[in-house]
Amino acid sequence: AGSLMTTKLSQPQSTLAKSLTSTSTNAPYFKELESTEIPPYLTNCPSNGLCSRLPPDCMTCNTNYSCIYGKTATFDCKVKPHVHCVDENNHEQENFTINMTCQFCWQLATSDYVCTNSTNCMTVSCPRQRYNATCTVRDHIHCLGNRVFPKMLYCNWTGGYKWSTALALSITLGGFGADRFYLGQWREGLGKLFSFGGLGIWTLIDVLLIGVGYVGPADGSLYI
């Protein structure tokens, strides 16, 4: 009976030993497969460049909780796997520091990220409509938090102002502030009227600004 029990107990042990042996044998094989996979972020990571100038997708940084919002702070960073970079002395390194402004990605200026457009917005509406957009931070901008975030944006709309009319008024009657009055900018219009277009200088500047579209309607709408 004792030998029978020993035989029965030895079978699971031998099976377990075989499974462990097979697992440990195959483990390097799976690791080798994983190591051959190229991470998608590597396409944006220059090789052997300065670590401090790598795009944000090529590194991971520790959050500096002592930084003051809007101020420049130092962050400890490390390159991601398979990324190779050097320091100022051309020595390869993994750990380094960078200086960036202490702010979250959704607090960046509108020029620092790109957002999706909506096709369901009304061009003429009061009050102005908003839509849910997905915004992505530009590759060279460093910030805290998620680099892809949702944001409520105003729909593009028009109040009926024509760019050609504004430009024509600026050229012909700009010295009397007619262009500014037309765009709803009453203070600037009065300033041009009583200064005779800034003795002609303001008039010439407004022709250029309206011509390139820099000056628009006071309500923030778009030209027709």
Side-chain angles (χ1 to χ4, degrees):
S3 61
L4 180 61
M5 290 180 62
T6 305
T7 304
K8 289 183 178 179
L9 288 174
S10 63
Q11 289 178 352
Q13 290 177 354
S14 61
T15 305
L16 179 60
K18 288 181 179 179
S19 64
L20 289 175
T21 304
S22 62
T23 303
S24 61
T25 303
N26 293 335
Y29 176 73
F30 287 115
K31 288 183 179 179
E32 184 177 354
L33 284 179
E34 292 178 357
S35 61
T36 58
E37 295 179 358
I38 300 176
Y41 58 79
L42 278 183
T43 57
N44 298 325
C45 302
S47 180
N48 296 325
L50 287 177
C51 294
S52 57
R53 295 186 180 180
L54 285 174
D57 289 339
C58 306
M59 66 180 76
T60 56
C61 299
N62 297 327
T63 303
N64 187 348
Y65 293 100
S66 62
C67 68
I68 302 175
Y69 171 74
K71 301 293 184 180
T72 302
T74 302
F75 293 81
D76 296 324
C77 302
K78 182 180 181 180
V79 294
K80 289 184 177 180
H82 307 291
V83 176
H84 300 282
C85 62
V86 297
D87 57 10
E88 289 78 4
N89 298 322
N90 205 28
H91 296 152
E92 187 171 353
Q93 63 175 174
E94 293 185 357
N95 301 306
F96 56 96
T97 59
I98 63 170
N99 295 324
M100 68 176 179
T101 305
C102 180
Q103 60 182 348
F104 287 99
C105 295
W106 58 269
Q107 296 173 318
L108 292 170
T110 54
S111 58
D112 293 335
Y113 54 83
V114 180
C115 299
T116 56
N117 294 322
S118 175
T119 57
N120 299 323
C121 284
M122 296 179 61
T123 56
V124 179
S125 62
C126 186
R128 292 180 63 183
Q129 287 185 337
R130 290 175 179 262
Y131 69 95
N132 292 317
T134 301
C135 302
T136 305
V137 181
R138 298 186 184 274
D139 293 338
H140 63 284
I141 302 297
H142 291 272
C143 57
L144 303 176
N146 295 327
R147 299 184 62 81
V148 179
F149 53 91
K151 197 164 188 176
M152 294 289 292
L153 299 178
Y154 280 113
C155 298
N156 291 332
W157 69 295
T158 178
Y161 296 95
K162 292 184 177 181
W163 172 81
S164 58
T165 302
L167 182 60
L169 289 174
S170 182
I171 295 173
T172 58
L173 301 174
F176 301 100
D179 50 352
R180 294 283 185 165
F181 286 126
Y182 171 74
L183 296 174
Q185 302 176 7
W186 296 96
R187 294 181 179 178
E188 292 81 355
L190 291 174
K192 291 182 69 175
L193 177 63
F194 291 111
S195 65
F196 299 102
L199 300 178
I201 298 176
W202 194 348
T203 302
L204 293 175
I205 293 175
D206 271 358
V207 171
L208 294 175
L209 295 180
I210 294 176
V212 299
Y214 185 82
V215 173
D219 56 9
S221 63
L222 302 177
Y223 287 115
I224 296 178

